Amino acid sequence: NAKDAIALNNHFNQLTLTSPCQVNENACINGKVAKCDNGAFVIMPCAATLECVALPLVNSRGTSITCDTPKDARSRI
């Protein structure tokens, strides 16, 4: 899961607000949560000290997209 989270975060680094997206797609753009709405990303900021990141799930296969501190995100990955 950690490798998947790293790959997903690397993918997010390539995205911009004008990147195409699919219905129900979630991402992180510039440290903020991004949700696809009608083919365009809509940004929802994290709290002041947090940034959006993909993290590995612990009890099952996959990743989650959440707001976290950079230090905690690095330790989880």
Side-chain angles (χ1 to χ4, degrees):
N1 290 346
K3 289 180 183 179
D4 291 340
I6 291 168
L8 194 53
N9 286 314
N10 287 336
H11 170 69
F12 293 160
N13 288 334
Q14 306 303 314
L15 295 178
T16 66
L17 283 176
T18 59
S19 297
C21 61
Q22 302 297 316
V23 175
N24 296 324
E25 181 179 357
N26 296 316
C28 296
I29 298 177
N30 297 326
K32 297 174 178 79
V33 176
K35 293 187 180 264
C36 188
D37 183 32
N38 293 318
F41 281 114
V42 176
I43 296 294
M44 292 170 283
C46 296
T49 60
L50 305 178
E51 63 183 41
C52 182
V53 64
L55 294 175
L57 294 178
V58 176
N59 294 323
S60 62
R61 176 123 173 82
T63 59
S64 65
I65 297 172
T66 189
C67 296
D68 197 3
T69 65
K71 182 179 178 180
D72 187 62
R74 283 190 303 274
S75 70
R76 290 177 185 234
I77 293 174

